[in-house]
Amino acid sequence: MSEADADFHEMREPRIEKVVVHMGVGQGGRELANGEEILEEITGQDTVRTTAKRAIGEFEIRPGDPIGAKVTLRGEDADEFLETALELVDLSASQFDDTGNVSFGVAEHTEFPSQEYDPQIGIYGLDVTVSLTRPGYRVSKRDKVTRSIPSGHRMTVDDAVAFLEREFDVEVTA
């Protein structure tokens, strides 16, 4: 058994917990409906509307106003979406947080293969957030007998970068 095999443990293997695809439109109405349709076409799932938490006078937004839509992908759906989305962007190490999660934006929805420009709709951008965990993270989220994750088992930026480079064949720049 090699040294690399001895250091590897299946509980240390990172995995994708979820992928959240969000589109902030800023107002309800036809623009939000168009954004929801685009998200549903790209992800293949129904969207959930997001609402304003507080008032923003400059934009005439009040609490509770619908301002965007999001979709949460898990399992194979998340993997398939990331295969496509990661080809469209250049990732840098600054896009990763301390716990190994990564967020990036896609400037135009028309960059996705299934989408074409429609002058009646316009161009929408979207945000993608990828949450990476290791097996055993449920211990910190469960209701009973909650425990903290030991520092040696927590995801780091280096772990997340190595996982994405290995699994999705992307290059992360420094």
Side-chain angles (χ1 to χ4, degrees), residues 121-143:
I121 294 176
I123 295 177
Y124 290 86
L126 47 99
D127 305 313
V128 180
T129 301
V130 182
S131 177
L132 298 174
T133 61
R134 286 193 166 117
Y137 267 53
R138 185 180 161 273
V139 169
S140 67
K141 295 181 180 180
R142 64 189 179 190
D143 290 335

Side-chain angles (χ1 to χ4, degrees), residues 4 38 90 106 111 119 163-164:
I38 291 168
D90 296 324
V106 179
E111 295 179 19
F163 173 74
L164 288 179

